[in-house]
Amino acid sequence: MLRPLAAPRVAPSSRSLKVRGMSEQLQNWWRGGVIYQVYPRSFFDSNGDGVGDLPGVLHKLDYIASLNVDAIWLSPFFTSPMKDFGYDVADYRGVDPLFGTLDDFVRLVEACHERGMRVLIDQVLNHSSDQHPWFVESRSSRDNDKADWYVWADPKPDGTVPNNWLSVFGGPAWSWDSRRRQYYLHNFLSSQPDLNFHCPAVQDQLLDDMEFWLKLGVDGFRLDAANFYFHDLELRDNPPNLEIREGSIGVRVDNPYAYQRHIYDKTRPENLAFLRRLRALLQRYPGASSVAEIGCDESLRTMAAYTSGGDTLHMAYSFDLLTEQCSPAYIRRTVEGIERELADGWSCWSMGNHDVVRVMTRWALDGRPDPERGRVLMALLLSLRGSVCLYQGEELGLPEAELRYEDLVDPYGITFWPEFKGRDGCRTPMPWESEAHHAGFTGSQPWLPVDDSHRSLSVAAQDADPHSMLNCYRRFLGWRREQRLLIEGDIRMVYHDDALLVFERRLGEEAWLCLFNLGDLPRSYELPAQAVPLVDVPASFAEYDDHWARLPAHGFGYARLAR
């Protein structure tokens, strides 16, 4: 059994972070910050049970710090029956024994702070597990203390469901409970009943639970399904979606969920009042921040509403770069749409997470993941205006793992197989050593198999190669940290065609032209007469002559625009 790195025990009320201060710059670390998402189940197994855990994250923390990121985001580690692998919480203040103990978590937070990194944790507020004591009590009768903590509704006169709302995971969003003789709402699995945010006691309890973690030292929260919290009290039917298109709302069109416009079951106006209460809580802990997942038909407008004004969320991300669409035209349209809508709000960009096919496969040309393409996607993502979330393994250039049906554990994938293979392919274990048993992730059978294609991309193999994707990420992220223009500057799109995307970043009197060749053939772009090429950019491989930028396939470059 591996022993985690030693770290002092921190008192639950401690806020003495080396990284935290009262200066505005430290409080606003999240503006342009880079957040590394850790999926604990698949990161590193410290005790040999086949599942990654918090001591495993602690054991590999120096690796994360070597990437030059600003924070880590931990996917759920809470007490859970694991029907949805932690996104079904049975205790909002408990660490599931599968992942360790509360002391393990506190040691991890302190160790992150010692290395200058913040810690964000997932908060799954929309729903709990059906095994949570709150739901057990709520379903027991119609007149108990928590009777209205979940969304209950009587059947129609013919016994059918209250309305036409659908679950993201397929089928009606309502399940029958024989004890109450009512239906309960679940936007996801039937084992994930929706909490009733129209009940003030629910809001109070959830905010208290979040403050519990703030007192332990966390630096903020990633909010799962943040636009799902409230529902229409009249339970009106959703209208049909007459403009169905692949990837339009982050849900495949072979799922009936995409056939509705979800205007009554989520993204309700009441959400903003709760987000203001949440922001008021965070403001009592200087430097604490929030980033929310937004999944809806009008995601850009919702992001603006949820992050503008300085009194709701700090930042939000949508599914707009998590689809299969990746043309320069699409990326330009997405960025311009966000910039147009956001006003004083703030976006957080991501090209991958634990819910979508890995970007190296999803955005591959001709279906073949190419390391060179991985580099230009890295540079593009980290050059946009906003903050960034990187999903574990992106820095290794991992493609989507190919799994057999019998290997699947994701209920989403099992339901929609074979047209949709679920989320397991992006959740397989991190490959630490190429030749080691299970790629060094565990000493026993892992909860998901290690993909053979990942072995040659292991951390150990890339660590020794100065030209590897991993070392490219390290150098580029280290370089970006010193470029305030990329972190704070404005953005303006300049040009695009079938392969090239060109935009300007500007901060005060300084301006750069940022050029990206997303195609698989060399391309050239004529620079303005006053442009001065930046030649010290890690891994750019661009060449310049006679005011022309020569970009190789999957190449990128930058030029300073002289005044």
Side-chain angles (χ1 to χ4, degrees):
M1 182 183 302
L2 291 168
R3 296 178 62 84
L5 298 172
R9 177 70 160 86
V10 59
S13 61
S14 172
R15 303 294 294 176
S16 57
L17 283 66
K18 292 184 178 180
V19 297
R20 177 163 296 149
M22 296 304 295
S23 72
E24 182 177 353
Q25 182 177 356
L26 284 178
Q27 290 192 48
N28 291 332
W29 67 267
W30 51 273
R31 293 183 70 90
V34 179
I35 303 166
Y36 184 79
Q37 182 191 354
V38 175
Y39 193 71
R41 294 183 68 92
S42 298
F43 198 64
F44 184 70
D45 172 21
S46 72
N47 62 5
D49 65 358
V51 178
D53 45 45
L54 295 179
V57 179
L58 181 58
H59 187 80
K60 296 293 188 181
L61 201 57
D62 285 336
Y63 166 77
I64 300 175
S66 78
L67 298 176
N68 295 308
V69 297
D70 300 294
I72 67 170
W73 147 28
L74 291 169
S75 291
F77 51 83
F78 309 109
T79 307
S80 168
M82 301 295 164
K83 298 289 182 64
D84 193 24
F85 302 100
Y87 284 88
D88 48 330
V89 179
D91 181 356
Y92 283 96
R93 300 190 185 194
V95 174
D96 195 282
L98 189 68
F99 297 119
T101 67
L102 192 60
D103 279 351
D104 290 329
F105 173 78
V106 171
R107 281 191 287 268
L108 176 58
V109 170
E110 183 69 6
C112 284
H113 292 164
E114 289 176 347
R115 291 160 176 79
M117 295 186 297
R118 283 81 171 174
V119 179
L120 280 68
I121 63 173
D122 242 309
Q123 288 291 281
V124 190
L125 305 182
N126 173 72
H127 52 266
S128 75
S129 164
D130 61 357
Q131 297 182 30
H132 197 296
W134 301 342
F135 187 71
V136 172
E137 182 176 355
S138 185
R139 76 189 314 180
S140 66
S141 69
R142 296 192 186 192
D143 58 2
N144 63 79
D145 289 343
K146 292 183 173 55
D148 62 346
W149 277 42
Y150 293 83
V151 183
W152 296 96
D154 292 327
K156 289 181 178 180
D158 61 358
T160 56
V161 294
N163 59 24
N164 72 346
W165 295 354
L166 297 173
S167 164
V168 173
F169 286 174
W174 300 94
S175 285
W176 177 254
D177 185 84
S178 59
R179 277 155 285 196
R180 286 186 54 141
R181 292 191 291 278
Q182 286 182 304
Y183 285 97
Y184 65 87
L185 177 67
H186 54 89
N187 273 292
F188 298 92
L189 295 175
S190 61
S191 57
Q192 295 171 304
D194 274 36
L195 283 154
N196 179 17
F197 275 73
H198 290 287
C199 173
V202 169
Q203 295 188 37
D204 293 344
Q205 182 62 59
L206 291 173
L207 291 173
D208 284 347
D209 290 339
M210 294 176 77
E211 187 162 23
F212 170 83
W213 296 102
L214 289 167
K215 289 178 178 179
L216 284 178
V218 304
D219 302 282
F221 305 99
R222 180 264 185 184
L223 302 172
D224 183 69
N227 58 307
F228 280 78
Y229 298 158
F230 284 85
H231 66 284
D232 176 45
L233 284 173
E234 298 179 38
L235 301 183
R236 287 172 283 187
D237 282 350
N238 283 326
N241 179 7
L242 302 179
E243 298 181 355
I244 298 172
R245 63 186 187 277
E246 187 78 26
S248 60
I249 54 173
V251 179
R252 295 174 59 92
V253 298
D254 52 13
N255 181 344
Y257 188 83
Y259 288 74
Q260 291 183 0
R261 291 181 58 222
H262 294 273
I263 62 176
Y264 293 121
D265 54 351
K266 63 181 181 180
T267 323
R268 302 298 299 160
E270 299 94 331
N271 228 24
L272 288 170
F274 174 73
L275 296 180
R276 291 189 180 99
R277 293 192 65 192
L278 172 57
R279 181 63 172 259
L281 168 63
L282 293 174
Q283 286 176 338
R284 299 205 297 269
Y285 294 85
S289 65
S290 56
V291 56
E293 173 194 53
I294 305 296
C296 62
D297 298 337
E298 296 183 345
S299 59
L300 304 186
R301 186 171 300 174
T302 303
M303 285 174 61
Y306 283 18
T307 63
S308 62
D311 62 349
T312 50
L313 298 173
H314 293 80
M315 48 187 167
Y317 73 88
S318 73
F319 292 94
D320 291 275
L321 294 187
L322 299 176
T323 69
E324 294 182 358
Q325 301 178 69
C326 60
S327 69
Y330 174 77
I331 295 172
R332 176 176 184 169
R333 185 166 63 249
T334 299
V335 173
E336 288 183 329
I338 286 181
E339 288 298 309
R340 183 174 57 251
E341 296 285 351
L342 271 186
D344 63 342
W346 195 256
S347 61
C348 184
W349 296 101
S350 62
M351 290 181 178
N353 65 19
H354 62 290
D355 283 334
V356 298
V357 172
R358 284 194 174 274
V359 67
M360 288 296 293
T361 296
R362 181 165 37 89
W363 282 13
L365 298 181
D366 301 322
R368 299 188 306 273
D370 185 333
E372 297 300 324
R373 183 164 177 79
R375 291 182 175 89
V376 71
L377 296 179
M378 170 204 70
L380 171 60
L381 178 65
L382 291 164
S383 298
L384 296 174
R385 177 179 181 266
S387 304
V388 172
C389 279
L390 299 176
Y391 179 48
Q392 66 181 45
E394 286 181 13
E395 75 278 12
L396 302 178
L398 297 184
E400 183 80 351
E402 290 291 332
L403 300 176
R404 303 170 301 171
Y405 178 77
E406 51 267 33
D407 292 326
L408 299 185
V409 295
D410 176 21
Y412 197 16
I414 292 170
T415 297
F416 289 100
W417 180 276
E419 286 77 15
F420 176 54
K421 298 180 180 179
R423 302 167 294 179
D424 290 326
C426 67
R427 298 177 175 183
T428 55
M430 277 280 286
W432 294 100
E433 301 176 42
S434 300
E435 303 302 324
H437 199 47
H438 303 304
F441 165 72
T442 181
S444 62
Q445 186 65 31
W447 75 287
L448 283 174
V450 174
D451 192 280
D452 284 340
S453 70
H454 292 181
R455 288 184 174 273
S456 63
L457 301 173
S458 73
V459 171
Q462 296 201 40
D463 195 46
D465 178 2
H467 304 294
S468 67
M469 179 81 78
L470 171 58
N471 284 314
C472 175
Y473 262 85
R474 286 169 169 161
R475 288 192 299 272
F476 193 90
L477 283 164
W479 173 79
R480 180 185 180 273
R481 269 186 169 172
E482 305 302 319
Q483 314 306 324
R484 301 307 305 173
L485 177 142
L486 292 181
I487 296 173
E488 299 177 3
D490 295 329
I491 190 170
R492 182 179 68 87
M493 289 292 158
V494 173
Y495 175 82
H496 81 275
D497 56 26
D498 62 333
L500 289 178
L501 180 65
V502 181
F503 54 80
E504 180 185 292
R505 297 296 309 273
R506 181 179 293 274
L507 180 63
E509 295 299 310
E510 185 176 13
W512 289 9
L513 206 60
C514 309
L515 307 98
F516 305 90
N517 179 8
L518 300 177
D520 56 1
L521 295 173
R523 297 293 296 268
S524 297
Y525 183 82
E526 187 173 11
L527 299 174
Q530 75 275 25
V532 179
L534 298 177
V535 296
D536 59 347
V537 181
S540 73
F541 303 116
E543 296 181 354
Y544 306 90
D545 63 85
D546 296 328
H547 298 295
W548 284 87
R550 314 290 183 184
L551 301 176
H554 313 301
F556 61 93
Y558 302 83
R560 179 177 285 108
L561 299 177
R563 300 291 294 178

